[in-house]
Amino acid sequence: MIGKQTLISILGGLCYALPLMAQESAVEGMREATHHFIQGKIDREKEEIYQYLDSIKSTGNGRQDDSTITDEEVQLVRKLKAIEREVPLNYSPQVKNLIAKYTSKNYNPYMCRMMGLGQYYFPIFDRIMDEVGVPRELKYLSVVESSLNPRDISSAGATGLWQLMYYEAKTYNLTVDSYTDQRMDPIASSYAIAKILKEAYDEYGDWLLAIASYNGGKGAVGRAIQRSGKEKPSFWDIAPYLTQQTQNYIPKFIAMTYAMKYAEENDINAADTELSLRTQVLDINKRISLNQIADALDVSKETLRALNPSFKKNILNGTEENPLRLVLPVSDKKIATEELYAALNTPVPTSVTTGSSPNEPAELLKDGKYRVKVGETFASVAEKFEVTVQDIKSWNNLRGNKIVPGQNLLIKKEDNFVNAKLAHNTEKSVKKSQQRTSGRTAYYVVKKGDTLSQIADKNGVSVNRLKSDNDLNGTRIKPGMKLKVSKK
């Protein structure tokens, strides 16, 4: 028979154990409910991604014969959605291929350099884009456009980080003269592109369409929208009616955004570059020499030119009315204050130019090329002609870091290359005039929506004749351009 005290102890233990068991049961129930909720959400997301991919593979956004959906594709869509903010980052088979390219081992050195340059340029772009009111992710367009080379010049004359045309520079008040080209200025050009994209978005209400219009022109996008037959189409709806260049442009932007956002997991690390990340800015209202500034700061001319790419010569032609921005590197070395003050206050006479110097004999060949000598490097040749190493590589489509004796390098010096180019164009013009003595010349200002073929038909000339008369390499034209039309 159980004693009274024992019975009380048993009952007390039960009273303690039962609530504890009830709590454990409730916790387990909550755990199971949470698991089911999360699993249900994952299943729904996966189902949505499968439906999305199925629609892509069966319709316009990159039709494929193989309709099988892979785990890799599902993961790519999920990761694109995770970094998507204001600009749609849609998946397509071409986007997938470009992501594989940009994150590949072969592409890694290039991407590491882009990340390194981005440490300097991207904070500038972010600040300006925030100020103008456009999404920050649009900064990656600069990588697609110019590989973050502010001195990049296309065959059509598009210039700088954002590849702006001359008429765009004038429209957005950028200075372009014999001394300065602000299309190469990271700050001035970024304000211009931010405004261009903002205006396009205000017109279309879609960031991908705004980007497409920047690449292919508003006229082309407008015609593509009409041909799509939709009132508010997406980029993918109108893509079949755009040029191949513009069709490829959006996937490149999306893939580059992905590669940059997931840089760490793809072993894309910022490489060291020629750009100093610590800088200070001075407004210059007189003509001064970059070489004197470089000597006073005890920095290389290459470093100073890299930070100030918009100055075509080694002279800043600032004025009281139009002061120019001079970016200086900040280092831990003690700056020779007196020397810097003297350099900033020793104006360069107007008669002084950088076309020649005692150390630079007339060594260019007639075609504007320089023959490399034994012992010379990219740096020594760049120093000789007062240009940057990046200039020489860009002008000659070179990627490596070595040059060999006897190699011919194109050098675009202001006084020799440009004059030789003008002489060549003049000679071509004379020959054309001799061939067309019975003709007459008129001019046509490109209007919104115009194409070369339409202008050619309207004026009774061929597209090839129109391209030849205006030294056009492609068919890209924009409103405001003035075209010469020769008629017989």
Side-chain angles (χ1 to χ4, degrees), residues 167-182:
Y167 84 90
E168 290 173 317
K170 290 304 178 184
T171 301
Y172 293 92
N173 300 315
L174 302 184
T175 299
V176 180
D177 56 32
S178 59
Y179 287 94
T180 306
D181 189 339
Q182 286 190 320

Side-chain angles (χ1 to χ4, degrees), residues 105-126:
K105 185 176 180 180
N106 288 342
Y107 229 69
N108 186 263
Y110 170 81
M111 293 300 298
C112 288
R113 175 164 172 79
M114 293 303 101
M115 285 295 292
L117 292 171
Q119 287 186 316
Y120 177 80
Y121 289 118
F122 290 162
I124 295 174
F125 300 163
D126 285 343

Side-chain angles (χ1 to χ4, degrees), residues 296-474:
L297 293 175
D298 192 23
V299 298
S300 69
K301 298 178 182 67
E302 184 80 15
T303 297
L304 206 54
R305 282 177 61 83
L307 291 172
N308 298 276
S310 63
F311 304 126
K312 297 179 181 179
K313 303 181 180 182
N314 280 339
I315 293 175
L316 277 72
N317 193 31
T319 64
E320 290 286 350
E321 297 76 21
N322 186 28
L324 297 177
R325 184 188 305 108
L326 174 63
V327 182
L328 301 175
V330 175
S331 68
D332 295 327
K333 293 186 297 184
K334 185 178 180 180
I335 295 176
T337 308
E338 292 183 4
E339 286 83 349
L340 179 57
Y341 180 83
L344 291 172
N345 290 277
T346 306
V348 178
T350 306
S351 59
V352 175
T353 67
T354 59
S356 61
S357 68
N359 297 324
E360 185 190 311
E363 296 177 290
L364 287 181
L365 304 178
K366 288 184 179 179
D367 56 358
K369 293 184 178 180
Y370 172 75
R371 183 166 290 130
V372 178
K373 296 178 175 58
V374 176
E376 289 189 316
T377 63
F378 269 122
S380 64
V381 175
E383 181 76 12
K384 177 176 288 188
F385 291 103
E386 297 183 329
V387 296
T388 67
V389 170
Q390 189 60 41
D391 284 336
I392 298 176
K393 288 185 177 182
S394 177
W395 296 333
N396 293 275
N397 294 319
L398 299 175
R399 289 197 174 186
N401 295 314
K402 292 184 179 180
I403 52 177
V404 296
Q407 181 176 354
N408 287 337
L409 297 175
L410 179 63
I411 305 293
K412 296 186 179 182
K413 288 290 289 178
E414 184 78 19
D415 293 335
N416 46 52
F417 179 83
V418 174
N419 288 341
K421 184 77 172 176
L422 290 173
H424 175 67
N425 289 342
T426 301
E427 185 178 351
K428 282 173 59 180
S429 179
V430 170
K431 288 181 179 178
K432 288 177 183 177
S433 297
Q434 290 172 345
Q435 294 169 357
R436 303 168 186 166
T437 53
S438 61
R440 60 188 178 85
T441 301
Y443 290 89
Y444 179 85
V445 178
V446 178
K447 300 178 180 63
K448 183 178 178 180
D450 280 342
T451 65
L452 270 185
S453 59
Q454 290 173 337
I455 296 170
D457 290 342
K458 188 181 296 184
N459 291 277
V461 297
S462 68
V463 171
N464 287 337
R465 174 74 174 276
L466 205 55
K467 290 168 66 177
S468 174
D469 285 346
N470 293 276
D471 291 326
L472 297 175
N473 293 320

